[in-house]
Amino acid sequence: MSRPVLSIRDLKVEFVTRRGVLRAIDGVSFDIARGEVLGVVGESGAGKSLTGSAVIGLIDPPGRIAGGEILLNGERIDDLPAAAMREIRGRRIGMVFQDPLTSLNPLYRVGDQITETILAHLDVSAAEARRRAIDLLKEVGIPAAERRIDGYPHEFPGGMRQRVVLALALCAEPDLVIADEPTTALDVSVQAQIIALLRRLCAERGTAVMLITHDMGVIAETADRVAVMYAGRVAEIGPVRAVVKDPLHPYAKGLMGSIPTLEGAADRLVQIPGSMPRLNAIPRGCAFRPRCGSAFARCHIERPEPLRVGEHDVACFLYAQGAPAEPAAAGPGTEARR
Amino acid sequence: MLAFILRRLLQSVVVMITVGLIAFSMFRFVGDPVNQVVSLDTPREQREQIRKAMGLDDPVPIQFLNYMKRAAQLDFGISYQFRTPVTTLIGERMPATLELAFAAAFLALAVGIPMGVYTALRRHSVLSSFFMTVSLVGVSLPTFLIAILLRYVFSVQLGWLPSFGRGEVVNLGYWTTGLLTLSGLKALILPAITLGLFQMTLIMRLVRAEMLEVLRTDYIRFARARGLRTRSIHFGHALKNTLVPVITITGLQLGSIIAFALITEYVFQWPGMGVLFLGAVQNVDIPIMAAYLMLIAFMFVTINLIVDLLYSVVDPRLRTSMRAAT
Ligand SMILES: Nc1ncnc2c1ncn2[C@@H]1O[C@H](COP(=O)(O)OP(=O)(O)OP(=O)(O)O)[C@@H](O)[C@H]1O
Ligand SMILES: [Mg+2]
């Protein structure tokens, strides 16, 4: 296999506060290959956005990267000076935020925002940048692109604006796109279109995608692999088919159990009891242990490291040697389903 | 857009008529206007003659109409004190006041905006805390005290700048300017600082607050994620978004700078409209007071109109909503 586009190794992100140092990301590792879509899921506050911010170098004080490495095409980017990191942002890593209504500067023409991004990264003339901007707008499905390029953001409806944002993220042909809940703020009717567009554009260009979302349906349809995050760690990661159909980690089971399906509609819509611990109250041992129906002695003491189980990497002692028998049958999701 | 301007113009006319009514009624509150022009021993029939000549026998609404008609032609009557047309008196002094006011406004913007941007971008630097402290002083010290301090330091102690007057002026027909001579420029410095200091600190604090707000927005974060240069993010994307409130405040403040220039004018013996107005108040010279009132109102109305138009230049969303609203 060729070198991954993005490789995160044991990433740690901390916030220095008056009451001490809070570790929001605690040893996250994963890779994304060229052309691959990695879905990232997990409850609110799990650290999904923060991981994305760390990759693109936009963690603002009091936050800081406290450890680990981030490699883009094999080169470290987490320790680059600010000017070098700026050249990577937009050029080699594109980003799409949640709310297209607020992502665009209201006072600038859409076309000017695209051309300024192109000119910031590529050595082309202004006229060429404008030509490219029009092509891009056409490609993301903006009708009458030649005319609308001179429109202001407020003249575009929400779905159209997110198309413009996609064009902006892709205008310098990055190797990686981080899409942080790109459709959450949109009308349900256009969500699927935007996701399909993202998928198509990135597939055509061979762009790797880190797709953060709460929508398991989107993950199932779009992602190649999926990472389940919990309390600043990756609980489970693996091919989407395996993790969605046959999750191993008790938390992943609970999460996947909450996807509504056609067969078992209502009774499968379960919530995992309890809530994620706050950063200043993460328990010793496994962070999920207080909510886990299958916890045993070891879970109180040690933090589980990812283990290879089939196609999955799962951070749970149920799959380690010396675990109580029949781990696969246990877990809160299964219990709740009964 | 045209309909919008027309509507605003109509509103302005309504405001001016209202102010005109107030100005007009001042004449009637202060006793018989005839007494202001005659001496104690003027015979009765001569008084009646004057009364007639002044149109004071007409019904009040007609008098008001006539007053407004004349005002529209810039005829505000004859000053009681100077026995000269009020328009001439104000016309002579307006250039001094306007030059002072615009110099003060220019100073406030040219220093206030950069200081606001700087204190927002370098929030924790020593210089920022210094600016913030200075701005507190600017906000809290009364104008006359600032004037006296400045005069004491730069005129009395250092002797660098004149402590009163306007210096040498050049006559350009309708306008006398102090901006073309060295002594005129030197004379302008202290009054302009005095008048502009409060506005400067106001603008600095406003720009700082707006800038901090804008820097937190999603589109700034997205601009950073697009890899734009910090300079173009700060001075293009962010600064432009702080301009709408700055324009509002500057517009409103420009009106009050002109209106309240009188304290500064008084302290520095600046030969402007403010000094003329203060003299008029002391001598109950109603025509001047009324004309001054209407002039100031006219300036406020005009500035407001310009501010509204400037908005639409800066913010495309307002352009659309103006079109939609009309
Ligand atoms: N500026 C900050 N100061 C302190 N803690 C922060 C700050 N920003 C984020 N955090 C913490 O970091 C953790 C991870 O936040 P993050 O935004 O990555 O969550 P998320 O998984 O994206 O959640 P959501 O689904 O709500 O977007 C949260 O516990 C949050 O409280
Ligand atoms: Mg998030």
Side-chain angles (χ1 to χ4, degrees):
Chain A
M1 219 183 96
S2 68
R3 195 167 54 193
V5 171
L6 176 71
S7 185
I8 300 181
R9 292 279 149 263
D10 199 27
L11 178 70
K12 296 188 174 78
V13 175
E14 292 175 346
F15 288 97
V16 183
T17 69
R18 264 189 213 121
R19 277 169 291 122
V21 176
L22 300 178
R23 182 163 289 183
I25 304 287
D26 192 9
V28 162
S29 303
F30 58 75
D31 292 345
I32 309 181
R34 196 180 131 77
E36 183 181 55
V37 179
L38 175 76
V40 179
V41 297
E43 255 162 292
S44 193
K48 308 181 294 295
S49 300
L50 214 48
T51 308
S53 301
V55 171
I56 202 163
L58 281 184
I59 290 187
D60 291 318
R64 59 158 196 238
I65 294 181
E69 296 183 350
I70 300 169
L71 302 137
L72 188 68
N73 291 319
E75 294 161 35
R76 263 190 91 161
I77 58 166
D78 56 297
D79 55 357
L80 288 180
M85 195 59 212
R86 180 190 67 74
E87 279 169 26
I88 287 181
R89 280 198 289 272
R91 174 73 188 92
R92 294 174 63 196
I93 307 176
M95 181 113 197
V96 179
F97 288 114
Q98 183 170 350
D99 193 350
L101 302 183
T102 56
S103 288
L104 299 170
N105 189 332
L107 303 188
Y108 282 75
R109 289 174 203 279
V110 158
D112 292 344
Q113 301 191 44
I114 302 179
T115 47
E116 78 176 333
T117 316
I118 294 176
L119 291 173
H121 294 299
L122 306 177
D123 190 18
V124 297
S125 69
E128 168 65 14
R130 187 178 164 87
R131 219 169 10 254
R132 285 196 189 198
I134 293 175
D135 287 346
L136 257 169
L137 286 179
K138 281 185 189 155
E139 215 185 329
V140 297
I142 305 279
E146 287 91 348
R147 192 170 51 75
R148 303 210 69 165
I149 188 171
D150 291 319
Y152 287 94
H154 72 276
E155 294 164 346
F156 291 69
M160 285 288 169
R161 266 192 246 186
Q162 196 64 312
R163 287 169 189 264
V164 172
V165 170
L166 279 182
L168 273 165
L170 291 169
C171 69
E173 309 258 322
D175 304 324
L176 170 72
V177 167
I178 301 171
D180 192 350
E181 307 192 35
T183 59
T184 312
L186 294 178
D187 211 61
V188 184
S189 57
V190 297
Q191 287 186 356
Q193 293 171 18
I194 296 292
I195 291 289
L197 179 67
L198 174 72
R199 169 98 239 204
R200 179 172 64 77
L201 293 173
C202 293
E204 283 168 9
R205 292 167 165 76
T207 314
V209 182
M210 176 173 164
L211 176 62
I212 300 169
T213 177
H214 282 275
D215 188 337
M216 298 304 289
V218 165
I219 292 286
E221 273 171 40
T222 316
D224 300 306
R225 288 191 310 137
V226 57
V228 178
M229 288 191 66
Y230 187 82
R233 310 191 115 212
V234 175
E236 181 167 354
I237 183 169
V240 77
R241 215 151 299 280
V243 175
V244 172
K245 286 254 162 52
D246 179 26
L248 297 182
H249 194 284
Y251 176 66
K253 284 180 185 177
L255 207 61
M256 302 306 160
S258 58
I259 317 172
T261 59
L262 281 178
E263 317 93 65
D267 59 313
R268 288 199 57 176
L269 253 175
V270 289
Q271 290 288 322
I272 308 163
S275 61
M276 206 166 64
R278 285 218 300 273
L279 291 185
N280 55 4
I282 291 181
R284 219 158 71 91
C286 174
F288 186 59
R289 190 253 311 148
R291 300 169 73 186
C292 181
S294 333
F296 57 102
R298 193 175 174 190
C299 307
H300 290 255
I301 306 154
E302 262 180 85
R303 206 150 264 199
E305 293 303 324
L307 291 167
R308 192 85 217 212
V309 182
E311 290 180 296
H312 310 238
D313 284 295
V314 55
C316 177
F317 289 127
L318 290 174
Y319 305 93
Q321 282 182 346
E326 271 301 300
T334 1
E335 273 168 15
R337 232 175 279 159
R338 280 183 204 131
Chain B
M1 193 66 197
L2 192 68
F4 169 79
I5 295 174
L6 283 178
R7 213 181 41 201
R8 290 310 311 261
L9 276 178
L10 198 72
Q11 285 173 358
S12 309
V13 170
V14 172
V15 170
M16 286 314 296
I17 290 176
T18 317
V19 173
L21 196 61
I22 297 171
F24 173 71
S25 49
M26 286 191 349
F27 285 94
R28 314 200 61 82
F29 272 128
V30 202
D32 188 350
V34 175
N35 286 340
Q36 307 287 341
V37 270
V38 298
S39 52
L40 279 174
D41 48 350
T42 310
R44 201 183 165 83
E45 48 276 22
Q46 205 177 333
R47 285 180 182 242
E48 287 312 312
Q49 238 175 336
I50 290 169
R51 179 176 302 280
K52 218 179 205 106
M54 288 173 82
L56 294 168
D57 282 346
D58 298 334
V60 175
I62 301 288
Q63 284 186 37
F64 175 59
L65 211 68
N66 285 332
Y67 179 74
M68 289 305 283
K69 251 193 228 157
R70 272 179 277 138
Q73 292 159 12
L74 295 183
D75 174 5
F76 293 95
I78 312 280
S79 154
Y80 301 157
Q81 305 169 73
F82 301 98
R83 314 274 160 175
T84 328
V86 171
T87 313
T88 315
L89 290 170
I90 289 186
E92 279 167 12
R93 286 160 175 81
M94 190 151 69
T97 298
L98 288 186
E99 280 183 1
L100 173 60
F102 280 102
F106 174 76
L107 187 84
L109 288 175
V111 181
I113 292 179
M115 268 166 74
V117 171
Y118 181 85
T119 47
L121 294 180
R122 301 248 183 287
R123 250 188 314 161
H124 303 293
S125 82
V126 180
L127 196 54
S128 288
S129 344
F130 174 72
F131 283 161
M132 292 306 283
T133 316
V134 168
S135 84
L136 262 185
V137 175
V139 170
S140 49
L141 276 190
T143 307
F144 70 88
L145 199 61
I146 294 172
I148 289 167
L149 282 176
L150 285 176
R151 251 171 66 165
Y152 179 74
V153 175
F154 291 100
S155 307
V156 181
Q157 289 296 319
L158 297 171
W160 290 351
L161 298 167
S163 63
F164 65 87
R166 208 185 162 198
E168 236 174 285
V169 294
V170 178
N171 199 332
L172 306 171
Y174 285 113
W175 193 275
T176 54
T177 180
L179 300 179
L180 297 178
T181 62
L182 187 65
S183 75
L185 286 174
K186 273 170 110 178
L188 185 60
I189 295 177
L190 291 185
I193 293 177
T194 305
L195 189 55
L197 193 66
F198 177 77
Q199 326 293 335
M200 185 189 92
T201 52
L202 196 74
I203 286 173
M204 177 198 131
R205 288 178 164 260
L206 179 78
V207 168
R208 181 186 124 92
E210 284 295 323
M211 192 84 180
L212 288 176
E213 190 71 37
V214 168
L215 287 176
R216 273 196 293 271
T217 58
D218 286 355
Y219 56 82
I220 292 299
R221 196 173 159 76
F222 189 51
R224 289 170 69 199
R226 284 191 274 142
L228 302 185
R229 283 171 199 287
T230 312
R231 199 184 321 150
S232 87
I233 295 174
H234 287 165
F235 298 101
H237 288 262
L239 189 57
K240 194 170 178 189
N241 274 282
T242 65
L243 282 187
V244 168
V246 171
I247 289 173
T248 320
I249 296 293
T250 309
L252 292 176
Q253 292 300 318
L254 186 62
S256 31
I257 287 179
I258 296 171
F260 298 118
L262 37 99
I263 300 174
T264 309
E265 288 186 8
Y266 183 73
V267 176
F268 286 98
Q269 286 302 299
W270 190 259
M273 297 188 296
V275 170
L276 181 71
F277 176 75
L278 286 177
V281 172
Q282 272 160 15
N283 296 301
V284 205
D285 195 342
I286 304 292
I288 291 182
M289 287 162 69
Y292 184 76
L293 182 66
M294 288 188 68
L295 184 72
I296 295 293
F298 180 74
M299 284 180 178
F300 265 96
V301 163
T302 313
I303 290 167
N304 267 333
L305 201 65
I306 295 174
V307 164
D308 279 338
L309 294 179
L310 274 183
Y311 277 169
S312 66
V313 174
V314 174
D315 195 334
R317 286 167 297 185
L318 294 171
R319 245 170 280 163
T320 323
S321 60
M322 275 178 198
R323 236 178 281 138
T326 51

